[in-house]
Amino acid sequence: MKAADIRTHARTGVSLTSMGLGCAQMGNLYRVTHYAESEGAFRAAWEAGIRYFDTAPFYGFTRSERRLGTMLTDLARTDYVVSTKVGRVMTPDESVGAEEDGYIEPLPFRPVYDYTHDGVMRSFEASQQRLGILKPDILYVHDIGSVTHGERHAHYWQQLTEGGGFRALTRLREEGLTRAIGLGVNEWEIIRDALQVADINICMLAGRYTLLEQQSLSFMDDCARRGVGIVIAGAFNSGILAGNRKFNYADAPADVLARVDALRAACEAEGITLQAAALQFPLAHPAALTIVSGARNAEQLTANVGWFEESIPPAFWARLKDKGLIAEGAPVPAAGA
C-alpha cells in the first residue's frame, strides 16, 4: 500500500490518494508551528505523492486555510483535491486570546456556530477567499452532534435541517461549486442520523473506526452498502496509538491503556510498528476512501508515510483477531493491498 495510490468514490467520481494531509497543525494546534514547518510538511506530502488536503476555518481561527491556500496557489488545480468545512462563521473579534480551543496565537476571528442556510453560504464564501479556490472538492459540516453540543444539539440540528443548512450544501453541489458534501465529525451516530434526512456523499469520521475501537463497524458496513464514502481521521485516537497516553483528547482510562498495551505487545512480538498497524487497518473497510493524518513538519510527515507503507503480513491481522483485539467481522488488509 502506497500513500499515492488512488481510490475513487464511485458515486461522485472524487479520486483521493490513499493518504491525505490533515492541516490542523497549520493552525498552531497545541503549539506554535512556524510557516516554514508547515510548508515543509506540505512539500514532503507532495513529494510522497499525497494529493488530498483537508482544512477548516476553525483551525487556527482561519490560519490553516490561509496557509494551505498559499501553498496550493502555484499548483495546477486539477492536480490535487481539497476539502474544507462549514458550521462556524469566523467573526472579527479583537478579544481572541493567546490560546483558544487548543490553538496557540489564533488569528482574531471568533468562531460562531451557524448551521443555517445563510451561515453555510457565508462560511463557504469566506473559505473561497482564504483558500483562493472557487470550488473545493468536498464540503463537510464541522462538529455537529450531541457529544459536541450537549443540550444545544437539538438547536443546531434544527438549523442544519429545518434552517436550511443541508439545503445550502445541496445547492452548492448542484451548482457545481463542490463535488461532494457530508459531515466532518467525531460521532458516527450523527452521520447515521444525517443519512436519514440528507443526500450526503462523503463524510470524515475521526477516531471512531480505528485499530483501537470498532464499535462503528455496523455503521461502516451500512455506508459501504449505500455508497457513502468515509474519510478516516484520528487513526491514532488522539495519539495513544502513536506513543502518548491521550484518548479522545484526555488522559486515557485504564481499560483503554490495557487494550493499547495488548496491541503494542502483539505488534512488538512480530516486529511490526503499532503506528503502521493503526494507519493501515481502517482502510481495509470497503467504505473507507483514504486516511488523513496530520503532520507538523516534514519529519513527522515522512514518518507517517513510512508507517503507512510498512509491510505487514496478512497473518498478523488474523492473529489479532484470534486474540480478540479486532472485532469479529472487521475487514483486514489483504496481501498486496
Side-chain angles (χ1 to χ4, degrees):
M1 185 155 51
K2 299 294 183 184
D5 290 346
I6 298 295
R7 299 160 73 100
T8 300
H9 182 241
R11 286 179 56 198
T12 63
V14 174
S15 292
L16 304 172
T17 47
S18 293
M19 193 172 195
L21 176 62
C23 298
Q25 284 88 341
M26 287 188 186
N28 290 356
L29 181 63
Y30 303 138
R31 74 166 177 82
V32 170
T33 303
H34 296 293
Y35 183 88
E37 291 183 279
S38 294
E39 186 177 33
F42 177 86
R43 295 300 173 197
W46 195 268
E47 290 170 7
I50 292 171
R51 296 294 184 269
Y52 172 44
F53 304 92
D54 174 71
T55 184
F58 179 59
Y59 299 160
F61 293 19
T62 77
R63 188 186 299 275
S64 175
E65 283 191 324
R66 296 171 191 275
R67 285 184 168 181
L68 180 62
T70 299
M71 294 171 196
L72 291 171
T73 189
D74 290 332
L75 301 171
R77 181 63 186 90
T78 54
D79 286 351
Y80 60 85
V81 171
V82 65
S83 57
T84 191
K85 304 179 181 77
V86 297
R88 292 177 175 92
V89 174
M90 308 305 296
T91 305
D93 185 345
E94 63 182 7
S95 74
V96 169
E99 180 176 355
E100 301 249 3
D101 295 313
Y103 291 98
I104 310 301
E105 297 182 8
L107 295 179
F109 300 91
R110 177 79 57 189
V112 177
Y113 287 115
D114 191 337
Y115 300 93
T116 66
H117 180 280
D118 289 349
V120 167
M121 297 302 291
R122 287 173 60 200
S123 177
F124 172 74
E125 290 164 3
S127 289
Q128 288 178 302
Q129 295 278 351
R130 289 188 290 263
L131 288 167
I133 293 171
L134 290 179
K135 301 176 181 179
D137 300 276
I138 308 171
L139 275 180
Y140 301 120
V141 177
H142 202 185
D143 290 341
I144 189 78
S146 58
V147 174
T148 300
H149 291 303
E151 63 182 18
R152 295 285 288 168
H153 170 63
H155 168 72
Y156 290 125
W157 184 245
Q158 185 178 45
Q159 286 188 346
L160 190 58
T161 53
E162 297 175 24
F166 278 134
R167 180 164 50 85
L169 287 169
T170 301
R171 170 185 164 189
L172 290 169
R173 185 180 59 192
E174 290 175 347
E175 292 178 357
L177 291 170
T178 190
R179 300 171 64 194
I181 60 173
L183 276 58
V185 293
N186 296 278
E187 307 169 41
W188 64 266
E189 296 89 346
I190 196 64
I191 302 177
R192 176 200 60 197
D193 294 346
L195 285 169
Q196 306 307 311
V197 297
D199 177 24
I200 56 181
N201 317 115
I202 298 175
C203 293
M204 175 176 283
L205 180 61
R208 299 285 76 83
Y209 187 75
T210 69
L211 183 65
L212 182 58
E213 58 172 289
Q214 298 104 50
Q215 291 92 331
S216 62
L217 178 58
S218 62
F219 159 76
M220 292 286 290
D221 293 343
D222 186 49
C223 286
R225 287 190 293 268
R226 289 169 171 256
V228 175
I230 299 295
V231 171
I232 300 292
F236 294 144
N237 282 107
S238 303
I240 195 167
L241 292 177
N244 70 27
R245 308 298 267 184
K246 297 292 185 181
F247 175 72
N248 284 350
Y249 313 105
D251 291 335
D255 61 324
V256 171
L257 290 172
R259 188 171 181 84
V260 172
D261 288 342
L263 285 165
R264 182 177 292 107
C267 289
E268 290 176 351
E270 303 197 35
I272 292 163
T273 311
L274 176 59
Q275 292 95 325
L279 287 174
Q280 293 181 35
F281 166 76
L283 274 189
H285 198 284
L289 288 173
T290 181
I291 190 157
V292 167
S293 182
R296 197 173 298 280
N297 51 44
E299 291 75 17
Q300 288 184 4
L301 189 284
T302 300
N304 288 345
V305 171
W307 290 324
F308 184 79
E309 297 183 349
E310 183 176 314
S311 178
I312 298 179
F316 167 76
W317 304 108
R319 284 189 280 275
L320 285 190
K321 283 195 173 184
D322 289 343
K323 295 176 180 179
L325 295 174
I326 293 178
E328 191 64 34
V332 296

